[in-house]
Amino acid sequence: MNLPDLCIARDRIKKEIKYQNVNTKFSPLFKDKKYFLRTYGCQMNVHDSEEIKFYLEALGFVPTDTLEQADIVVLNTCAIRENAKDKVYGYLGRCKHLKKLNPNLIICICGCLVQQPHEVETLKEKHQYIDIIIGTHNLNELPELIMKKMPKQTIEVYSNSDIVFENVKYKRDSKVCAWINITYGCDKFCTYCIVPFTRGRERSRKMENIIQEVQELKNNGYQEVTLLGQNVNAYGNDLNLGYDFATLLEKVAQTGIPRIRFVTSHPWNFTDKMIDVIAKYDNIMPYIHLPIQSGSDAILKKMNRRYTIAEYKELFHKIKAKVKNVAVTTDIIVGFPGETDADFKATLDIVKYCEFDNAFTFIYSPRVGTAAALMPDETPKEVKEEKIKELNNLVNSYSLKSNQALLGKTVPVLVTEISEKDNTKVCGYTDTMKLVNIEGGKDLIGKIIDVEITAAKSFSLDGIPKIKVNN
Ligand code: SAH
Ligand code: SF4
Ligand code: F3S
């Protein structure tokens, strides 16, 4: 049994990183048994779930969307805000009931929630029916744990890791777009954030391994890769091999894969060299997610974000000036401890100033073990709710405005799937990451086509394929 520990998770003493290949061969002991998997949280978790799916299917499991039919339930959890946790506990209630009806059911919980010691304590004390609790640093052990058929609850959660796994296999959700991890963990310690504790210290994959993965995806017909890291701009800093994110991005661009994206960029590490590379290559999409968090310098300081609004604006202008047709989106937290009305007004002002293409807004949620959780927070919940409503109205007005600017224009769209809302249509994203529902059939999936925009809403566009007519 290995239990999480926040002191170890906080440790940033640099040890040498080991690169280790994972085992990917398992016998299908569970042939045709069913798995039910739910994923919460960010793209990193979504990509981890693709690894989990690979393991489950290598063991013989097949997917089901009906919880009641499952032989194994896996919940890949998130810890970023309290509401992410509430959703998991909702499922656990149903799992407990099912386990009573079927004692052979295997219940597994993994992801960021179980990297938190107090959460694991609760699971240990009150949720003994959960069979496997496994952390974010050792997902590779999941198949062995499932095969062991433990007589009692097994907890394997490490708090930090100096290992970067290679040769990881995924059952990818899409045949068109793929996620690629470039860094794991985060060393920034923004005072509100649990991620540095749940994902450990920042460590980069070696460039040659990433490029090889891009090449393989390209050879298999993938049209788009998204490079993943909590802070992609810090890529390479821990390696001391003389290369950084700009170098990596350029090498990925030179593979010729049609579309490249990356998330998330931290304003603090964003260099001019990176902007120049983004501007130089047509296959690097003109879309940058650049979380600002607050419009107030005082709050940014308390958040330990390491930039001022003046610096953010300077970076924003450089990006807009150099990267043609670029879309910039952001994240904003409302109601951070000590946020005054004037601080909040400054947030509204920066949104008006930048006119973000889109913004993800969150009410601050205290996380056990983070520095901000100890700061006095006197703003009542109702006031925070009023503020976020006002902010969302503003943010949405700019989303609509940026979408309306595309009306009547023709834009390139990578078609990815059948439209969720209308199965007679397909959908995909523009180079600037705007969702478009397109009139057309599934033969368009996997293609980058020119689309004329015929309608613009706050969160999506409608369009028709622009067919070239040869006279
Ligand atoms: N690594 C990324 C973001 C990770 S979390 C970055 O640094 O930008 C995604 C977003 O969740 C953050 O940008 C922040 O806006 C929000 N968030 C993180 N912790 C939060 C908390 N405790 N309460 C509310 N929102 C939070
Ligand atoms: Fe969290 Fe800050 Fe790291 Fe992003 S950069 S993951 S917000 S600590
Ligand atoms: Fe959540 Fe962990 Fe991602 S806390 S946002 S799943 S890194």
Side-chain angles (χ1 to χ4, degrees):
M1 181 158 79
N2 276 295
L3 293 171
D5 178 328
L6 284 187
C7 287
I8 300 173
R10 205 180 280 121
D11 177 17
R12 286 302 183 271
I13 297 168
K14 298 273 182 219
K15 284 188 238 139
E16 198 197 337
I17 292 175
K18 294 183 220 97
Y19 291 82
Q20 190 176 310
N21 276 351
V22 295
N23 177 17
T24 54
K25 293 216 165 46
F26 305 96
S27 45
L29 283 178
F30 296 89
K31 199 166 171 348
D32 296 333
K33 298 272 184 205
K34 294 195 171 67
Y35 74 86
F36 177 94
L37 171 68
R38 277 290 170 273
T39 310
Y40 306 88
C42 63
Q43 290 98 333
M44 221 152 272
N45 246 22
V46 171
H47 190 33
D48 282 353
S49 282
E50 293 184 328
E51 181 180 346
I52 295 169
K53 279 182 211 169
F54 171 82
Y55 293 136
L56 294 172
E57 296 188 15
L59 290 174
F61 289 102
V62 291
T64 176
D65 250 339
T66 313
L67 183 63
E68 286 70 20
Q69 286 179 359
D71 298 288
I72 183 167
V73 176
V74 182
L75 301 178
N76 191 11
T77 63
C78 170
I80 202 89
R81 285 169 290 273
E82 200 64 11
N83 54 6
K85 167 180 152 181
D86 296 342
K87 287 184 201 153
V88 173
Y89 276 88
Y91 259 106
L92 282 182
R94 289 173 66 191
C95 290
K96 184 178 182 179
H97 174 69
L98 288 175
K99 182 88 176 184
K100 276 193 194 138
L101 302 177
N102 171 16
N104 289 329
L105 175 68
I106 305 172
I107 301 172
C108 169
I109 173 159
C110 56
C112 289
L113 189 78
V114 302
Q115 292 294 139
Q116 299 175 286
H118 69 285
E119 295 295 348
V120 171
E121 276 310 309
T122 310
L123 295 175
K124 236 169 78 180
E125 277 165 27
K126 301 202 180 129
H127 300 269
Q128 271 297 324
Y129 56 90
I130 298 174
D131 301 282
I132 303 171
I133 298 175
I134 181 170
T136 58
H137 297 298
N138 54 326
L139 260 186
N140 60 305
E141 290 175 16
L142 182 64
E144 280 88 4
L145 290 177
I146 295 172
M147 286 186 295
K148 265 190 201 156
K149 292 206 169 180
M150 302 80 24
K152 58 180 176 41
Q153 189 175 74
T154 303
I155 305 174
E156 289 298 340
V157 182
Y158 302 91
S159 291
N160 217 328
S161 172
D162 50 3
I163 301 174
V164 167
F165 289 104
E166 286 297 342
N167 189 35
V168 181
K169 295 274 188 290
Y170 302 97
K171 168 77 196 313
R172 294 186 186 271
D173 294 332
S174 162
K175 292 191 161 38
V176 181
C177 304
W179 308 108
I180 299 188
N181 289 321
I182 64 164
T183 65
Y184 296 97
C186 179
D187 285 355
K188 285 283 179 291
F189 287 98
C190 301
T191 54
Y192 51 81
C193 185
I194 196 67
V195 172
F197 300 88
T198 63
R199 294 280 171 167
R201 60 183 273 216
E202 203 163 73
R203 48 214 193 279
S204 303
R205 288 179 70 197
K206 290 214 180 117
M207 190 152 69
E208 61 265 30
N209 294 328
I210 298 169
I211 298 298
Q212 192 188 338
E213 192 173 339
V214 177
Q215 278 295 358
E216 277 165 19
L217 289 163
K218 182 177 171 240
N219 295 345
N220 287 324
Y222 278 84
Q223 299 293 307
E224 181 177 292
V225 292
T226 300
L227 310 179
L228 285 181
Q230 289 301 341
N231 172 15
V232 287
N233 316 68
Y235 172 78
N237 292 354
D238 55 314
L239 292 175
N240 286 324
L241 287 172
Y243 53 72
D244 63 3
F245 183 58
T247 331
L248 173 73
L249 207 46
E250 181 147 40
K251 284 270 190 304
V252 175
Q254 287 166 349
T255 64
I257 187 122
R259 282 187 164 200
I260 301 155
R261 301 187 185 280
F262 48 89
V263 276
T264 297
S265 303
H266 191 296
W268 195 64
N269 290 108
F270 217 122
T271 63
D272 288 358
K273 206 171 124 207
M274 290 170 196
I275 302 175
D276 290 340
V277 173
I278 297 165
K280 184 171 160 193
Y281 290 90
D282 286 344
N283 56 347
I284 303 179
M285 295 298 98
Y287 164 73
I288 296 173
H289 184 58
L290 194 66
I292 190 165
Q293 311 300 359
S294 168
S296 151
D297 282 341
I299 295 295
L300 288 175
K301 195 150 195 263
K302 282 194 184 174
M303 288 177 165
N304 189 29
R305 286 293 288 182
R306 306 164 196 233
Y307 53 82
T308 61
I309 287 302
E311 285 162 345
Y312 187 95
K313 280 183 178 170
E314 194 190 330
L315 175 64
F316 181 83
H317 283 302
K318 263 194 228 165
I319 292 171
K320 286 270 176 181
K322 285 191 174 170
V323 185
K324 212 173 61 197
N325 182 37
V326 69
V328 178
T329 58
T330 202
D331 289 347
I332 298 169
I333 295 177
V334 170
F336 186 80
E339 184 185 80
T340 62
D341 289 347
D343 293 322
F344 178 65
K345 188 178 169 296
T347 296
L348 297 175
D349 287 345
I350 192 72
V351 170
K352 287 177 196 155
Y353 183 91
C354 293
E355 301 198 355
F356 294 109
D357 287 74
N358 198 1
F360 300 94
T361 60
F362 311 101
I363 289 183
Y364 167 71
S365 172
R367 305 286 77 204
V368 173
T370 61
L374 304 172
M375 298 178 189
D377 179 9
E378 270 127 34
T379 313
K381 190 166 152 256
E382 304 75 57
V383 174
K384 293 184 184 182
E385 276 163 4
E386 277 307 308
K387 280 181 171 176
I388 202 167
K389 238 188 253 164
E390 187 180 353
L391 177 63
N392 285 344
N393 285 339
L394 187 66
V395 159
N396 294 346
S397 72
Y398 291 116
S399 301
L400 182 63
K401 188 174 166 189
S402 71
N403 280 349
Q404 279 172 339
L406 293 178
L407 263 180
K409 291 203 172 134
T410 297
V411 289
V413 178
L414 169 56
V415 182
T416 53
E417 60 201 336
I418 305 275
S419 173
E420 246 176 53
K421 286 203 181 129
D422 177 350
N423 63 14
T424 66
K425 290 183 177 179
V426 287
C427 65
Y429 286 88
T430 64
D431 50 351
T432 51
M433 198 68 184
K434 293 181 192 301
L435 177 65
V436 193
N437 290 304
I438 306 159
E439 283 176 25
K442 62 176 190 285
D443 51 307
L444 293 175
I445 293 174
K447 296 195 174 111
I448 297 171
I449 56 168
D450 284 336
V451 174
E452 188 183 321
I453 302 302
T454 52
K457 301 157 211 166
S458 280
F459 305 110
S460 68
L461 300 159
D462 290 338
I464 44 172
K466 190 108 178 173
I467 311 287
K468 288 189 190 92
V469 182
N470 297 318
N471 290 321

